[in-house]
């Protein structure tokens, strides 16, 4: 779910293997209706959208390792006079070159987005000197063992208290969240 101004909500979905780089969103505050034009194509056809993160007031769509890109979008509310409905468009405001998300069930947020890549637990942060967003490694104490597990793409991540827990193959790895 993505919220604009903390009030309106929309559901974003992806995962169609025939349209790996497409995502779809529902009507504003109505998760039962997906309009014909409520979709976007992000990047190359051969690179799948793996998951989403909230990044401040923006929505980040993470692509797989094929491209590694992270598409940052902000919602813009407008009133459609033809349908007499409030609608939102989602223009891409930035594209970050990343390493590619690998586990669709491991996205979590605790003041910063957390996700798994081939380098382990990562986040998106802003470099103070340049004021630019980039990926940064988190969980450096557990990443080596976590990434040695088989089927890391099936890992599940959740936030519990001040920890990001990642479960895979009957093991649970935990990383203290530094904010």
């Amino acid at each position: 779910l993505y919220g604009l101004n903390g009030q309106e909500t929309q559901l974003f979905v992806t995962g169609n293997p025939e349209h790996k780089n497409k995502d779809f969103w529902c009507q504003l505050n109505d998760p039962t209706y997906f309009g014909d034009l409520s979709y976007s194509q992000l990047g190359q056809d051969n690179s799948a959208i793996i998951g989403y993160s909230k990044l401040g007031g923006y929505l980040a769509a993470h692509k797989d390792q094929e491209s590694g890109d992270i598409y940052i979008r902000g919602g813009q509310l407008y009133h459609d006079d033809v349908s007499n409905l409030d609608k939102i468009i989602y223009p891409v405001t930035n594209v970050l070159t990343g390493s590619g998300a690998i586990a669709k069930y491991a996205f979590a947020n605790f003041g910063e987005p957390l996700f798994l890549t081939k380098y382990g637990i990562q986040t998106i942060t802003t470099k103070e000197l340049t004021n630019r967003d980039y990926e940064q490694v988190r969980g450096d104490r557990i990443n080596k063992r976590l990434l040695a597990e088989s089927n890391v793409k099936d890992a599940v991540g959740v936030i519990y208290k001040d920890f990001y827990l990642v479960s895979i193959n009957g093991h649970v790895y935990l990383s203290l969240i530094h904010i």
Side-chain angles (χ1 to χ4, degrees):
L1 286 173
Y2 174 74
L4 182 67
N5 300 329
Q7 297 173 357
E8 301 85 4
T9 57
Q10 287 189 287
L11 179 65
F12 278 73
V13 296
T14 191
N16 182 335
E18 294 179 21
H19 304 285
K20 296 192 267 188
N21 67 331
K22 279 189 179 179
D23 63 2
F24 305 83
W25 55 87
C26 69
Q27 177 66 36
L28 187 63
N29 294 321
D30 183 0
T32 63
Y33 179 74
F34 287 77
D36 293 347
L37 301 176
S38 299
Y39 72 92
S40 62
Q41 288 184 219
L42 301 175
Q44 309 94 303
D45 293 343
N46 65 340
S47 179
I49 301 167
I50 299 298
Y52 300 95
S53 296
K54 287 184 181 181
L55 187 60
Y58 296 91
L59 181 67
H62 299 259
K63 300 282 289 224
D64 63 14
Q65 294 181 80
E66 190 68 33
S67 79
D69 292 337
I70 302 170
Y71 289 81
I72 311 297
R73 295 184 284 193
Q76 295 177 349
L77 187 63
Y78 75 97
H79 185 78
D80 182 3
D81 293 329
V82 175
S83 67
N84 198 30
L85 293 172
D86 287 334
K87 294 185 177 184
I88 297 180
I89 57 172
Y90 294 96
V92 173
T93 59
N94 196 2
V95 179
L96 306 179
T97 301
S99 48
I102 60 173
K104 63 184 174 181
Y105 302 114
F107 288 87
N109 198 306
F110 187 80
E112 63 182 11
L114 299 166
F115 51 96
L116 288 180
T117 73
K118 63 184 176 184
Y119 301 112
I121 301 168
Q122 300 236 105
T123 189
I124 300 171
T125 189
T126 303
K127 188 172 276 192
E128 289 182 35
L129 183 62
T130 61
N131 202 31
R132 299 191 73 128
D133 293 331
Y134 68 102
E135 282 185 356
Q136 184 176 32
V137 174
R138 295 283 191 259
D140 44 350
R141 292 184 178 154
I142 62 170
N143 283 337
K144 185 175 180 180
R145 289 192 64 189
L146 171 63
L147 294 173
E149 293 277 357
S150 61
N151 300 316
V152 177
K153 67 178 180 56
D154 297 326
V156 176
V158 296
I159 301 296
Y160 177 72
K161 296 190 179 183
D162 292 335
F163 296 95
Y164 175 56
L165 290 92
V166 180
S167 174
I168 182 73
N169 300 325
H171 300 119
V172 176
Y173 297 88
L174 62 104
S175 178
L176 180 63
I177 300 169
H178 305 283
I179 297 183

